[in-house]
Amino acid sequence: MVYFSEQFGIDYQEDFDWFDPILEIDTPLFIDPFLLFADKTEAWIHAHDQVMDYFNSAFIMLAESGLKENHQKYRRVLTLMEFPEPKEFRLGFTRRSTRGAGSGKGFARQITTAMAEAIRRGIEDTRHFEELGIFVEQFHRDRISDVICNLLKPDFIEYTQGVCTSHGIEMREVEVEHSVFDSDRMRWMKSKVLLPIDAQSDDPVILIPKRFLRELPTLDAEDWYESLDTSLRDDWNLKVSREMKKTEILAAARQHVDSFRSWITKMEDSAPQPYDVDVDPKLYVQWQHIVRDAVANTRIEPADITSDAQMVDFIHTVLDYVRHFCESARGWELFWEIKGHKSIPEPNMQILIYGLIKAYCNAANVSCDREVETGRGPVDFVFTGDRRIRVIMEVKKLNHGEFWGGLESQTPIYARGLQVDRAIYLAIRNSSTKAMNKRWGQLDAIAKHASRVNRVKITVERIDVMPRLPASDSHKTDYASDTGEQDDAEA
């Protein structure tokens, strides 16, 4: 896996204005529109206004439709609210590689419905489109960032061209979705533009200023709620903060829009700070460098694998290396959105694990592929050695609602689909609740039973990514008990 700068032979410096993405995997950072709003540089001072003009024009059309879903203008707004996956940016929480969820027709309907609800409440325009988040529960940071990437894609393309010109980076003409807005037809079109091309995937890359990136959006209903005076919460009969669910906070914001908008006005006078991608305190960006250093400091001999058993032994060796990184070298920090409370999505965990495994396998001349189709769905990992020896590996975080189904059913089905009789089930520990501790301890017995029933030898591996306590508290236990996430099936 390489960074943009590496592929194009650039010695990246901290004083560069642009963010240097990893090309194969999305980085879990997001464009915060409030940072655009606060930016006063000549190139971007009007960018936030462009976004708001787009949404406010849509508000006008929606109001003119009488909020009738069969009206031509209502249907046009639905089209305007479609924001396809902006894969060129390499940002966000991915589902597979750099292919994120994007914002399709279903989400366009949710946004349009939210705008209609806002109009019914007397809101016919917005100063910050993130306000719509109080009407759409799924309007989270990934979606917000996708909207910005789409609406300002022409600007970011021009920015990328400027970076490439200044560094002598070769560009190629390529067709890009959602890259020009036809104001006469009121719709986004694809067009051919000059952009740098990732040599491995043959996909274009679009760069952005790193000062627009954050972990969380500045304008968030939960932050508004935390800002409320305690007596005001009491007057509104709201629960104490730690008991409030997001759905309840959004409901409160909808009931008290004036308060929410007043808070936004106060936030406009604040100075929001971007995530420091160069210091990178949470290792969102630099983890790949750390992985490489770990491999460089590990003696790895080319593997001579002539049997399934040898392949399994090799994978155990690789996972020992991955486990050490995750459990003893700060690697666990990469697995959390909110430390100890909310882990990153399982597909992102798989990508991090893949990055570590791939680096080791490359050094050992062993092939490791992700999302290999079995005929019954894609298996997480397939290891291939000489003489077409293959072993599959499924990865599940401990609190996954289908955790046992993955071990007892899914893994054997994938093994049969690829006609292999050896499999590894890797459990990622993201919870120390009583129920999850029990699950952690039952793994070997369940795997033994599943192996016998399905005639596939399934071996269990474990990696514990629970946040570690400070060294001053480590004499008590490695991490706090009864933390992490509950079973997804119970959430």
Side-chain angles (χ1 to χ4, degrees):
M1 298 184 190
V2 298
Y3 293 85
F4 175 86
S5 59
E6 293 173 330
Q7 179 159 128
F8 292 97
I10 305 300
D11 181 17
Y12 188 81
Q13 305 294 319
E14 287 189 9
D15 60 357
F16 287 174
D17 181 67
W18 46 279
F19 172 62
D20 187 22
I22 299 173
L23 294 180
E24 292 91 336
I25 294 177
D26 288 354
T27 300
L29 292 172
F30 311 88
I31 296 179
D32 181 2
F34 206 78
L35 291 172
L36 278 167
F37 171 79
D39 198 84
K40 303 304 179 186
T41 60
E42 184 176 354
W44 297 101
I45 194 169
H46 298 300
H48 190 269
D49 290 341
Q50 287 178 236
V51 174
M52 294 322 307
D53 287 346
Y54 185 88
F55 274 91
N56 288 334
S57 295
F59 261 105
I60 292 171
M61 267 194 287
L62 202 59
E64 290 174 346
S65 75
L67 307 184
K68 297 176 181 177
E69 293 189 19
N70 61 349
H71 195 284
Q72 181 181 8
K73 289 188 176 181
Y74 193 103
R75 294 199 302 270
R76 174 57 61 204
V77 173
L78 279 173
T79 301
L80 292 175
M81 292 302 113
E82 288 185 28
F83 301 108
E85 171 202 344
K87 57 184 180 296
E88 304 91 354
F89 293 82
R90 276 64 173 179
L91 296 173
F93 288 130
T94 65
R95 291 300 164 194
R96 294 182 191 172
S97 186
T98 59
R99 309 302 189 190
S103 302
K105 294 182 183 297
F107 193 65
R109 182 165 294 279
Q110 290 181 48
I111 296 177
T112 306
T113 301
M115 293 170 68
E117 175 65 16
I119 290 172
R120 291 188 184 98
R121 292 175 181 268
I123 302 173
E124 296 190 0
D125 60 12
T126 59
R127 183 165 173 79
H128 299 278
F129 84 92
E130 305 97 294
E131 288 182 43
L132 292 174
I134 68 173
F135 297 103
V136 186
E137 189 170 349
Q138 292 78 24
F139 204 37
H140 48 65
R141 51 184 161 176
D142 215 357
R143 301 292 196 182
I144 290 171
S145 185
D146 283 357
V147 169
I148 294 295
C149 287
N150 274 282
L151 294 184
L152 297 180
K153 189 178 285 188
D155 303 81
F156 288 126
I157 288 173
E158 184 177 348
Y159 176 81
T160 303
Q161 292 168 340
V163 171
C164 290
T165 299
S166 65
H167 289 286
I169 295 173
E170 180 183 356
M171 293 180 285
R172 200 172 81 204
E173 191 174 68
V174 61
E175 193 170 68
V176 176
E177 296 275 357
H178 220 261
S179 54
V180 64
F181 186 69
D182 186 329
S183 56
D184 292 329
R185 298 173 64 188
M186 290 296 287
R187 67 171 64 245
W188 285 94
M189 312 290 288
K190 62 176 65 174
S191 67
K192 290 187 176 181
V193 296
L194 285 173
L195 282 174
I197 304 298
D198 175 6
Q200 297 298 316
S201 66
D202 206 37
D203 291 331
V205 181
I206 297 179
L207 302 173
I208 61 168
K210 59 189 177 186
R211 66 182 182 277
F212 295 155
L213 294 176
R214 276 174 59 95
E215 297 174 83
L216 296 168
T218 301
L219 301 183
D220 184 271
E222 291 174 273
D223 291 331
W224 160 77
Y225 175 77
E226 291 293 337
S227 74
L228 293 176
D229 181 82
T230 304
S231 61
L232 187 56
R233 292 185 202 162
D234 292 340
D235 291 343
W236 291 350
N237 295 317
L238 298 180
K239 298 178 185 178
V240 295
S241 173
R242 64 179 177 274
E243 294 180 357
M244 283 290 280
K245 296 179 181 179
K246 185 174 181 179
T247 52
E248 296 171 317
I249 292 173
L250 294 179
R254 287 192 288 270
Q255 292 298 317
H256 305 281
V257 173
D258 289 343
S259 172
F260 185 70
R261 298 193 95 178
S262 295
W263 171 74
I264 290 176
T265 300
K266 291 179 182 178
M267 293 298 293
E268 290 178 350
D269 295 326
S270 66
Q273 296 300 310
Y275 181 79
D276 192 329
V277 298
D278 297 312
V279 174
D280 195 22
K282 296 191 177 180
L283 299 179
Y284 290 137
V285 184
Q286 301 302 326
W287 69 270
Q288 180 63 14
H289 289 305
I290 294 172
V291 166
R292 291 179 191 170
D293 290 343
V295 172
N297 294 326
T298 304
R299 183 175 177 81
I300 303 174
E301 300 290 344
D304 182 19
I305 298 173
T306 59
S307 70
D308 290 348
Q310 287 178 332
M311 176 62 84
V312 171
D313 288 342
F314 169 77
I315 297 171
H316 289 321
T317 300
V318 176
L319 292 177
D320 282 342
Y321 145 75
V322 174
R323 187 164 29 250
H324 174 77
F325 171 80
C326 292
E327 297 181 2
S328 304
R330 286 185 63 201
W332 58 265
E333 296 180 351
L334 301 171
F335 290 79
W336 294 92
E337 290 183 48
I338 303 173
K339 187 170 71 174
H341 296 284
K342 184 178 181 182
S343 60
I344 63 175
E346 184 179 272
N348 294 71
M349 290 187 177
Q350 294 172 354
I351 288 170
L352 289 174
I353 297 293
Y354 177 67
L356 291 157
I357 289 174
K358 188 71 172 178
Y360 195 106
C361 286
N362 286 346
N365 295 328
V366 173
S367 172
C368 176
D369 299 299
R370 265 196 88 233
E371 301 286 9
V372 176
E373 185 55 53
T374 66
R376 299 289 298 276
V379 66
D380 292 337
F381 293 85
V382 175
F383 296 85
T384 307
D386 294 339
R387 306 177 190 176
R388 301 302 296 170
I389 295 166
R390 293 175 120 187
V391 173
I392 69 168
M393 184 171 76
E394 274 293 292
V395 180
K396 282 280 190 291
K397 61 180 180 179
L398 188 62
N399 78 313
H400 195 291
E402 297 296 327
F403 183 82
W404 291 127
L407 174 55
E408 296 177 291
S409 176
Q410 190 177 41
T411 299
I413 287 173
Y414 289 159
R416 287 193 293 270
L418 289 177
Q419 297 182 316
V420 301
D421 58 9
R422 300 293 292 264
I424 292 174
Y425 195 74
L426 174 59
I428 308 297
R429 184 175 198 163
N430 65 323
S431 178
S432 62
T433 64
K434 185 177 180 179
M436 294 301 103
N437 286 343
K438 181 179 179 181
R439 179 175 289 184
W440 190 249
Q442 291 175 322
L443 267 166
D444 294 297
I446 301 296
K448 185 177 180 180
H449 175 73
S451 298
R452 185 174 63 254
V453 170
N454 294 284
R455 298 182 181 179
V456 174
K457 186 172 178 55
I458 304 173
T459 305
V460 168
E461 282 281 358
R462 297 170 171 87
I463 292 178
D464 187 339
V465 298
M466 287 299 296
R468 271 45 180 179
L469 292 171
S472 59
D473 295 329
S474 62
H475 64 283
K476 302 172 186 175
T477 180
D478 282 344
Y479 46 76
S481 61
D482 201 26
T483 59
E485 298 177 299
Q486 64 178 328
D487 187 339
D488 272 353
E490 300 172 353

